[in-house]
Amino acid sequence: MSVTVDLSGKTALVMGVANARSLGWAIAEQLLAAGCQVGFSYQGERLKPELDKLLVGREGVWSQQADATVEEDLTSLFGRVKEEFGHLDYLVHSIAFAPRSAMEGRFVDTTPEDWNTALTVSAYTLVSTARHAEPLLRSGGSIISLTYHASQKVVPKYNVMGVAKAALEAATRYLAAELGGAGIRVNTVSAGPMRTIAARSIPGFGTMYEKAAASAPLGRNATPEEVGKLSLFLLSDLGSGVTGQTVYVDAGSSIMSMKLD
Ligand code: NAD
């Protein structure tokens, strides 16, 4: 049996596409293929040319600069969403950052500045963007973000980003509890390691990528396309009974404590 998702007439905002490898782009591709109208936000003007390359020739798309930590940028961005779409059905938060210094050293040495940066950019912005989106979201609306298993188990060098992902997952539950009454769902997609710009800033990522694939029940890593497909499920009516959850798409690697062969 094949399931076709038709999102014509639906609208989405995708935040955090830096280039074609971004998980936000893998999600946007699924939304666009399903006929959804999609707006994009990018952190700074230096990222615009890469996004423009991806959007060229596509209808019903637009983009605007917005640093998710800057309140005025969010006000302006969601003003644009209202102007372009009138309302919003889906919000995709695909944003994270921790200074490299916080991931190179020991976790015990994390500075307050690095802690605040990582948690503000990677977790608090889910709360602030949900707040801006709330008046535009209708019943049936859905919010997703991207997380990683280092929130639950220690992954060497992930350090403060593991704490930020734990905060993101907890924030997902609190938002889901509050917005559920209005028929709005909030979930987070826990992706296995994928080769993106953000991943490049994690020391030893290449080794981590290979080890995750070797230990995964499926004998490989999940793909960005698979992240996109799970996201489509969670955003659309297919996921209508799912909220407040951290849902894994990692070829099963998170269930393993060790592999003997
Ligand atoms: P990416 O570098 O392509 O995307 C990260 C995005 O965050 C970039 O577009 C960047 O501009 C944006 N960003 C950072 N600070 C911002 C700010 N202040 N305001 C607005 N945007 C900001 O990398 P990615 O791997 O696609 O990351 C997307 C999400 O997926 C992140 O939450 C990341 O932690 C998560 N994730 C990635 C992996 C992986 O292995 N790549 C695994 C699990 C989860």
Side-chain angles (χ1 to χ4, degrees):
M1 190 184 79
S2 72
V3 180
T4 320
V5 182
D6 179 7
L7 299 186
S8 46
K10 302 286 188 187
T11 63
L13 175 67
V14 177
M15 304 181 72
V17 176
N19 63 21
R21 285 175 177 261
S22 294
L23 300 188
W25 180 246
I27 297 166
E29 279 191 303
Q30 296 291 330
L31 291 170
L32 290 164
C36 191
Q37 285 176 274
V38 186
F40 294 82
S41 70
Y42 52 92
Q43 182 186 1
E45 289 304 334
R46 89 193 145 76
L47 293 170
K48 187 172 168 26
E50 277 299 316
L51 181 58
D52 283 349
K53 269 194 246 167
L54 297 171
L55 301 187
V56 71
R58 292 179 189 269
E59 283 184 20
V61 294
W62 54 268
S63 69
Q64 178 163 320
Q65 184 275 331
D67 184 322
T69 64
V70 177
E71 191 62 20
E72 303 80 64
D73 284 7
L74 292 181
T75 302
S76 166
L77 174 65
F78 284 89
R80 176 86 181 268
V81 171
K82 189 171 182 189
E83 201 179 291
E84 295 277 354
F85 296 149
H87 72 276
L88 190 63
D89 293 297
Y90 311 128
L91 174 64
V92 177
H93 175 288
S94 189
I95 291 171
F97 175 75
R100 197 169 167 97
S101 55
M103 304 180 91
E104 275 170 347
R106 299 194 315 153
F107 176 68
V108 74
D109 294 326
T110 307
T111 63
E113 294 76 21
D114 286 356
W115 176 282
N116 288 340
T117 300
L119 270 90
T120 299
V121 177
S122 315
Y124 177 69
T125 58
L126 176 67
V127 182
S128 55
T129 53
R131 184 169 59 248
H132 280 270
E134 188 182 8
L136 298 173
L137 286 163
R138 306 185 290 189
S139 180
S142 178
I143 300 174
I144 60 162
S145 65
L146 276 301
T147 188
Y148 178 56
H149 189 55
S151 59
Q152 306 299 315
K153 298 282 180 189
V154 173
V155 174
K157 299 297 175 200
Y158 218 75
N159 294 0
V160 71
M161 189 55 99
V163 178
K165 291 303 191 192
L168 183 80
E169 291 168 19
T172 298
R173 292 186 284 273
Y174 278 87
L175 290 169
E178 277 185 2
L179 302 183
I184 297 158
R185 297 179 297 106
V186 189
N187 292 287
T188 185
V189 170
S190 189
M194 317 250 156
R195 296 184 193 280
T196 63
I197 300 183
R200 276 212 305 262
S201 65
I202 301 164
F205 178 81
T207 311
M208 191 173 123
Y209 185 86
E210 278 158 32
K211 285 196 184 240
S215 68
L218 297 185
R220 62 173 177 85
N221 283 311
T223 63
E225 187 190 0
E226 288 168 332
V227 171
K229 288 193 291 185
L230 174 61
S231 301
L232 184 65
F233 173 88
L234 288 173
L235 289 168
S236 73
D237 200 47
L238 288 175
S240 59
V242 185
T243 195
Q245 301 301 319
T246 298
V247 188
Y248 282 75
V249 53
D250 65 348
S253 68
S254 57
I255 67 163
M256 305 298 292
S257 66
M258 66 182 76
K259 202 166 182 180
L260 296 180
D261 48 85

Tab-separated table of all heavy atoms in Angstrom, residues 210-243:
chain	number	residue	atom	x	y	z
A	210	GLU	N	31.292	6.673	11.382
A	210	GLU	CA	31.590	5.281	11.014
A	210	GLU	C	31.163	4.301	12.094
A	210	GLU	O	30.600	3.246	11.815
A	210	GLU	CB	33.084	5.124	10.733
A	210	GLU	CG	33.430	5.568	9.326
A	210	GLU	CD	34.899	5.939	9.175
A	210	GLU	OE1	35.727	5.331	9.877
A	210	GLU	OE2	35.187	6.838	8.367
A	211	LYS	N	31.409	4.659	13.362
A	211	LYS	CA	31.058	3.746	14.467
A	211	LYS	C	29.548	3.585	14.581
A	211	LYS	O	29.046	2.498	14.865
A	211	LYS	CB	31.636	4.270	15.789
A	211	LYS	CG	33.126	4.050	15.874
A	211	LYS	CD	33.628	4.210	17.303
A	211	LYS	CE	35.125	4.078	17.307
A	211	LYS	NZ	35.658	3.034	18.093
A	212	ALA	N	28.811	4.678	14.372
A	212	ALA	CA	27.342	4.600	14.472
A	212	ALA	C	26.814	3.650	13.398
A	212	ALA	O	25.949	2.820	13.666
A	212	ALA	CB	26.728	5.997	14.325
A	213	ALA	N	27.370	3.755	12.200
A	213	ALA	CA	26.921	2.885	11.098
A	213	ALA	C	27.239	1.422	11.411
A	213	ALA	O	26.413	0.528	11.223
A	213	ALA	CB	27.592	3.300	9.796
A	214	ALA	N	28.447	1.187	11.943
A	214	ALA	CA	28.878	-0.194	12.205
A	214	ALA	C	28.032	-0.845	13.292
A	214	ALA	O	27.790	-2.053	13.260
A	214	ALA	CB	30.353	-0.196	12.598
A	215	SER	N	27.581	-0.062	14.269
A	215	SER	CA	26.835	-0.670	15.388
A	215	SER	C	25.325	-0.671	15.150
A	215	SER	O	24.587	-1.327	15.875
A	215	SER	CB	27.149	0.069	16.690
A	215	SER	OG	26.616	1.376	16.624
A	216	ALA	N	24.851	0.035	14.141
A	216	ALA	CA	23.396	0.139	13.928
A	216	ALA	C	22.807	-1.194	13.463
A	216	ALA	O	23.427	-1.893	12.661
A	216	ALA	CB	23.100	1.221	12.889
A	217	PRO	N	21.611	-1.541	13.960
A	217	PRO	CA	20.952	-2.774	13.499
A	217	PRO	C	20.842	-2.840	11.975
A	217	PRO	O	20.974	-3.923	11.402
A	217	PRO	CB	19.562	-2.676	14.139
A	217	PRO	CG	19.793	-1.884	15.385
A	217	PRO	CD	20.852	-0.882	15.037
A	218	LEU	N	20.644	-1.710	11.310
A	218	LEU	CA	20.524	-1.734	9.845
A	218	LEU	C	21.885	-1.733	9.151
A	218	LEU	O	21.968	-1.747	7.918
A	218	LEU	CB	19.682	-0.554	9.350
A	218	LEU	CG	18.210	-0.531	9.813
A	218	LEU	CD1	17.448	0.631	9.161
A	218	LEU	CD2	17.502	-1.852	9.485
A	219	GLY	N	22.969	-1.666	9.938
A	219	GLY	CA	24.318	-1.754	9.375
A	219	GLY	C	24.727	-0.535	8.564
A	219	GLY	O	25.641	-0.602	7.733
A	220	ARG	N	24.080	0.577	8.809
A	220	ARG	CA	24.375	1.822	8.072
A	220	ARG	C	23.804	2.979	8.887
A	220	ARG	O	23.105	2.761	9.882
A	220	ARG	CB	23.693	1.802	6.703
A	220	ARG	CG	22.168	1.738	6.794
A	220	ARG	CD	21.503	1.887	5.432
A	220	ARG	NE	20.054	1.757	5.473
A	220	ARG	CZ	19.203	2.742	5.753
A	220	ARG	NH1	19.646	3.945	6.049
A	220	ARG	NH2	17.904	2.531	5.767
A	221	ASN	N	24.099	4.182	8.464
A	221	ASN	CA	23.452	5.346	9.067
A	221	ASN	C	22.153	5.665	8.329
A	221	ASN	O	21.998	5.310	7.152
A	221	ASN	CB	24.386	6.557	9.016
A	221	ASN	CG	25.462	6.472	10.072
A	221	ASN	OD1	25.178	6.215	11.251
A	221	ASN	ND2	26.715	6.651	9.675
A	222	ALA	N	21.245	6.316	9.037
A	222	ALA	CA	20.050	6.841	8.368
A	222	ALA	C	20.484	7.947	7.412
A	222	ALA	O	21.599	8.475	7.513
A	222	ALA	CB	19.060	7.373	9.391
A	223	THR	N	19.618	8.307	6.479
A	223	THR	CA	19.957	9.327	5.476
A	223	THR	C	19.130	10.595	5.716
A	223	THR	O	18.060	10.536	6.335
A	223	THR	CB	19.621	8.810	4.060
A	223	THR	OG1	18.195	8.603	3.993
A	223	THR	CG2	20.339	7.504	3.760
A	224	PRO	N	19.592	11.727	5.178
A	224	PRO	CA	18.783	12.951	5.266
A	224	PRO	C	17.383	12.752	4.672
A	224	PRO	O	16.403	13.271	5.203
A	224	PRO	CB	19.602	13.971	4.467
A	224	PRO	CG	21.011	13.496	4.618
A	224	PRO	CD	20.936	11.995	4.616
A	225	GLU	N	17.296	11.974	3.599
A	225	GLU	CA	15.976	11.728	3.007
A	225	GLU	C	15.050	11.043	4.018
A	225	GLU	O	13.853	11.336	4.099
A	225	GLU	CB	16.110	10.870	1.738
A	225	GLU	CG	14.790	10.735	1.012
A	225	GLU	CD	14.820	9.707	-0.112
A	225	GLU	OE1	15.872	9.091	-0.343
A	225	GLU	OE2	13.771	9.527	-0.745
A	226	GLU	N	15.628	10.129	4.802
A	226	GLU	CA	14.811	9.440	5.817
A	226	GLU	C	14.396	10.399	6.934
A	226	GLU	O	13.304	10.266	7.502
A	226	GLU	CB	15.569	8.221	6.359
A	226	GLU	CG	15.631	7.110	5.314
A	226	GLU	CD	16.603	5.984	5.633
A	226	GLU	OE1	17.616	6.234	6.340
A	226	GLU	OE2	16.376	4.863	5.160
A	227	VAL	N	15.260	11.372	7.241
A	227	VAL	CA	14.874	12.424	8.199
A	227	VAL	C	13.695	13.205	7.621
A	227	VAL	O	12.719	13.509	8.313
A	227	VAL	CB	16.068	13.378	8.483
A	227	VAL	CG1	15.620	14.595	9.287
A	227	VAL	CG2	17.175	12.635	9.214
A	228	GLY	N	13.780	13.510	6.335
A	228	GLY	CA	12.704	14.246	5.657
A	228	GLY	C	11.390	13.481	5.695
A	228	GLY	O	10.331	14.060	5.954
A	229	LYS	N	11.455	12.171	5.468
A	229	LYS	CA	10.223	11.373	5.419
A	229	LYS	C	9.573	11.271	6.803
A	229	LYS	O	8.355	11.377	6.926
A	229	LYS	CB	10.515	9.975	4.854
A	229	LYS	CG	10.809	10.014	3.346
A	229	LYS	CD	10.783	8.643	2.703
A	229	LYS	CE	11.926	7.774	3.149
A	229	LYS	NZ	11.993	6.484	2.467
A	230	LEU	N	10.399	11.077	7.842
A	230	LEU	CA	9.833	11.042	9.200
A	230	LEU	C	9.223	12.407	9.543
A	230	LEU	O	8.146	12.493	10.145
A	230	LEU	CB	10.908	10.677	10.242
A	230	LEU	CG	10.430	10.770	11.692
A	230	LEU	CD1	9.277	9.808	11.979
A	230	LEU	CD2	11.571	10.508	12.673
A	231	SER	N	9.900	13.464	9.141
A	231	SER	CA	9.407	14.818	9.425
A	231	SER	C	8.079	15.058	8.730
A	231	SER	O	7.163	15.658	9.315
A	231	SER	CB	10.443	15.851	8.972
A	231	SER	OG	11.663	15.629	9.647
A	232	LEU	N	7.968	14.595	7.501
A	232	LEU	CA	6.713	14.746	6.763
A	232	LEU	C	5.583	14.033	7.509
A	232	LEU	O	4.480	14.555	7.657
A	232	LEU	CB	6.874	14.165	5.354
A	232	LEU	CG	5.685	14.318	4.408
A	232	LEU	CD1	5.432	15.780	4.083
A	232	LEU	CD2	5.918	13.533	3.119
A	233	PHE	N	5.887	12.848	8.006
A	233	PHE	CA	4.907	12.087	8.788
A	233	PHE	C	4.475	12.890	10.019
A	233	PHE	O	3.284	13.068	10.287
A	233	PHE	CB	5.531	10.743	9.211
A	233	PHE	CG	4.679	9.957	10.168
A	233	PHE	CD1	3.715	9.075	9.706
A	233	PHE	CD2	4.838	10.099	11.545
A	233	PHE	CE1	2.916	8.357	10.603
A	233	PHE	CE2	4.045	9.391	12.440
A	233	PHE	CZ	3.090	8.519	11.963
A	234	LEU	N	5.457	13.403	10.759
A	234	LEU	CA	5.135	14.103	12.011
A	234	LEU	C	4.415	15.429	11.764
A	234	LEU	O	3.557	15.834	12.541
A	234	LEU	CB	6.414	14.348	12.824
A	234	LEU	CG	7.031	13.105	13.467
A	234	LEU	CD1	8.373	13.435	14.082
A	234	LEU	CD2	6.090	12.505	14.520
A	235	LEU	N	4.793	16.117	10.692
A	235	LEU	CA	4.160	17.410	10.414
A	235	LEU	C	2.732	17.219	9.911
A	235	LEU	O	1.820	17.933	10.325
A	235	LEU	CB	4.976	18.196	9.373
A	235	LEU	CG	6.322	18.751	9.859
A	235	LEU	CD1	7.156	19.243	8.676
A	235	LEU	CD2	6.128	19.879	10.878
A	236	SER	N	2.547	16.246	9.039
A	236	SER	CA	1.255	16.094	8.361
A	236	SER	C	0.259	15.362	9.255
A	236	SER	O	0.577	14.935	10.361
A	236	SER	CB	1.453	15.292	7.071
A	236	SER	OG	1.691	13.938	7.385
A	237	ASP	N	-0.936	15.180	8.712
A	237	ASP	CA	-2.000	14.510	9.437
A	237	ASP	C	-1.691	13.031	9.713
A	237	ASP	O	-2.329	12.405	10.555
A	237	ASP	CB	-3.298	14.645	8.616
A	237	ASP	CG	-4.507	14.431	9.496
A	237	ASP	OD1	-4.532	15.027	10.593
A	237	ASP	OD2	-5.389	13.643	9.112
A	238	LEU	N	-0.688	12.472	9.009
A	238	LEU	CA	-0.303	11.081	9.299
A	238	LEU	C	0.109	10.941	10.764
A	238	LEU	O	-0.070	9.900	11.371
A	238	LEU	CB	0.872	10.646	8.403
A	238	LEU	CG	0.571	10.408	6.931
A	238	LEU	CD1	1.865	10.107	6.190
A	238	LEU	CD2	-0.408	9.253	6.766
A	239	GLY	N	0.675	11.998	11.321
A	239	GLY	CA	1.147	11.948	12.714
A	239	GLY	C	0.160	12.567	13.689
A	239	GLY	O	0.565	13.001	14.782
A	240	SER	N	-1.131	12.585	13.331
A	240	SER	CA	-2.116	13.372	14.097
A	240	SER	C	-2.230	12.988	15.575
A	240	SER	O	-2.644	13.806	16.383
A	240	SER	CB	-3.489	13.291	13.427
A	240	SER	OG	-3.897	11.942	13.358
A	241	GLY	N	-1.822	11.769	15.928
A	241	GLY	CA	-1.936	11.371	17.342
A	241	GLY	C	-0.620	11.472	18.096
A	241	GLY	O	-0.523	11.046	19.242
A	242	VAL	N	0.389	12.059	17.473
A	242	VAL	CA	1.730	12.067	18.082
A	242	VAL	C	2.106	13.481	18.513
A	242	VAL	O	2.182	14.385	17.673
A	242	VAL	CB	2.794	11.564	17.058
A	242	VAL	CG1	4.166	11.458	17.720
A	242	VAL	CG2	2.381	10.237	16.447
A	243	THR	N	2.337	13.679	19.803
A	243	THR	CA	2.850	14.982	20.236
A	243	THR	C	3.709	14.847	21.491
A	243	THR	O	3.538	13.917	22.277
A	243	THR	CB	1.706	16.011	20.447
A	243	THR	OG1	2.297	17.322	20.506
A	243	THR	CG2	0.897	15.742	21.710
